[in-house]
Amino acid sequence: MRNLMPKSFALLAGGALIAATAHAEVDRDGWPSSFTIGTASQGGTFYIYGSGWANLIADQLGNITGGGEVTGGPTQNLALVHNGDLAFGMTTMGPAADAMKGESPLAPGVVMDNACAMFPMYETPFSVTALANSGITSISDIPDGSRIGFGPSGSTSDVYFPAILEELGVNFERRNGGWSDLGGQLQDGLLDVIAFAAGIPIPAVSQLEVQTDVNIIEFSEEEQARIIDAFPVSDYMIPASTYETLEEDARAVSMWNFAIAACDLPESFVYEATRITMENNDRMMSVHRSAETTIPENVVYNTVMPFHPGAARWFNENGYEIADDMISQ
């Protein structure tokens, strides 16, 4: 019988077969049977993003299981990945720079050179929230001795936000906890303010908006300039569409987040995890809309820690050059 399949379809089918065969023949030598991703506290963006990312990787790779783990956040994730307790983690560039210099508050003097960058995630804005009935509408309104929740101990928020507010002349009592717990404490009157450093929309803030009236407090232009001059952050505007409470964009500062991997993980394993993430942005967006910036173009925002060879190979193969001196050897 004459083959009636169009030539173009045959070529496409052949290409798909070759791609499927190549994927099936990925070298899995040394791969773990399961993996865990260090995230942060429940109710925060890291936890939602990381758990969804783990599910995507496990689903696409097959024959391997993965999940997110509650941790103290970026600083602890660096230590856990460096020590081999976790395969993957999530961190911000400030704590990463400290870890690469041996200045992590969790392990002073220890250079965490077994933690490698994988791919860009999103920017973490620093923002302040109070109940509307508190009367706090600006940073200068925060009363002396206010009880401020800074997130989990050792998190990016906990490491940087107290110093930021001190730079702006705020005197406070420091409190720590998971974002969901701190949101409940704010609503119950046990806290006066929460200083969030997390991807937006922050689930705890969105939940508070549903239950009560809140003020999302922006920095003044002068305050923003002082913070940028003193800390490793950049200017940022929280879009008004992020929260029901906002009527216009809110001035803030931000710090980039990157996924990280243990540098001694097999190159092919990290290559595949990077490939799947970078080539399935729609799936990542369905996990959390902050993944809108989880795209290869943003790889340039890591200038402080070396990339895993597997991750670097994917970027270099796809036209996003990673310099040799930024690849772990």
Side-chain angles (χ1 to χ4, degrees):
M1 179 181 295
R2 186 161 59 95
N3 185 357
L4 299 179
M5 181 184 294
K7 184 177 180 181
S8 60
F9 182 83
L11 288 173
L12 287 171
L17 179 61
I18 291 170
T21 302
H23 182 61
E25 293 176 353
V26 169
D27 177 13
R28 296 195 174 209
D29 185 44
W31 283 27
S33 59
S34 64
F35 64 89
T36 304
I37 296 173
T39 63
S41 66
Q42 290 183 340
T45 306
F46 262 29
Y47 181 77
I48 296 170
Y49 184 110
S51 298
W53 175 40
N55 292 337
L56 172 64
I57 298 301
D59 177 63
Q60 292 291 304
L61 289 178
N63 299 318
I64 187 169
T65 59
E69 180 172 310
V70 173
T71 70
T75 301
Q76 186 179 24
N77 290 339
L78 285 157
L80 292 170
V81 169
H82 170 75
N83 291 333
D85 298 310
L86 297 175
F88 301 127
M90 303 154 69
T91 193
T92 38
M93 290 293 94
D98 292 340
M100 295 300 104
K101 294 183 292 186
E103 297 176 359
S104 170
L106 293 182
V110 177
V111 176
M112 297 186 183
D113 53 4
N114 190 43
C116 282
M118 286 182 69
F119 60 82
M121 293 166 48
Y122 55 83
E123 292 177 88
T124 289
F126 287 67
S127 61
V128 175
T129 300
L131 297 184
N133 62 16
S134 70
I136 299 173
T137 61
S138 67
I139 299 298
S140 60
D141 286 340
I142 299 175
D144 283 351
S146 289
R147 301 158 298 176
I148 301 181
F150 290 104
S153 179
S155 65
T156 299
S157 186
D158 183 48
V159 171
Y160 288 94
F161 228 147
I164 285 173
L165 292 183
E166 286 171 355
E167 172 70 22
L168 298 180
V170 179
N171 297 308
F172 52 83
E173 292 182 16
R174 185 172 182 159
R175 303 291 173 85
N176 292 108
W179 292 126
S180 294
D181 290 341
L182 293 178
Q185 291 181 44
L186 182 69
Q187 188 172 3
D188 293 339
L190 301 176
L191 291 176
D192 301 296
V193 170
I194 301 181
F196 289 96
I200 56 175
I202 300 165
V205 175
S206 298
Q207 183 176 353
L208 277 169
E209 284 189 305
V210 173
Q211 298 170 338
T212 189
D213 293 329
V214 300
N215 290 337
I216 296 171
I217 300 161
E218 67 174 351
F219 297 116
S220 68
E221 290 185 17
E222 187 265 336
E223 289 166 344
Q224 184 190 56
R226 283 179 62 184
I227 297 167
I228 293 170
D229 186 57
F231 300 96
V233 296
S234 56
D235 62 287
Y236 188 86
M237 295 295 285
I238 299 174
S241 59
T242 306
Y243 300 112
E244 294 293 331
T245 298
L246 288 178
E247 297 180 355
E248 57 186 27
D249 297 350
R251 191 180 298 103
V253 296
S254 70
M255 188 180 291
W256 268 93
N257 301 279
F258 269 67
I260 58 175
C263 298
D264 54 6
L265 284 174
E267 179 179 327
S268 60
F269 179 43
V270 178
Y271 176 92
E272 288 298 314
T274 304
R275 177 189 65 79
I276 290 166
T277 312
M278 292 292 93
E279 296 178 5
N280 288 278
N281 185 252
D282 57 335
R283 291 279 301 274
M284 289 301 298
M285 283 281 289
S286 71
V287 170
H288 196 282
R289 78 185 201 202
S290 66
E292 180 180 2
T293 55
T294 302
I295 55 177
E297 289 84 354
N298 290 328
V299 72
V300 297
Y301 292 108
N302 169 35
T303 60
V304 301
M305 69 186 308
F307 284 89
H308 191 286
R313 179 160 66 91
W314 186 89
F315 284 107
N316 284 329
E317 286 179 358
N318 289 275
Y320 304 95
E321 184 178 353
I322 306 295
D324 288 345
D325 63 359
M326 280 295 290
I327 302 174
S328 177
Q329 304 299 319

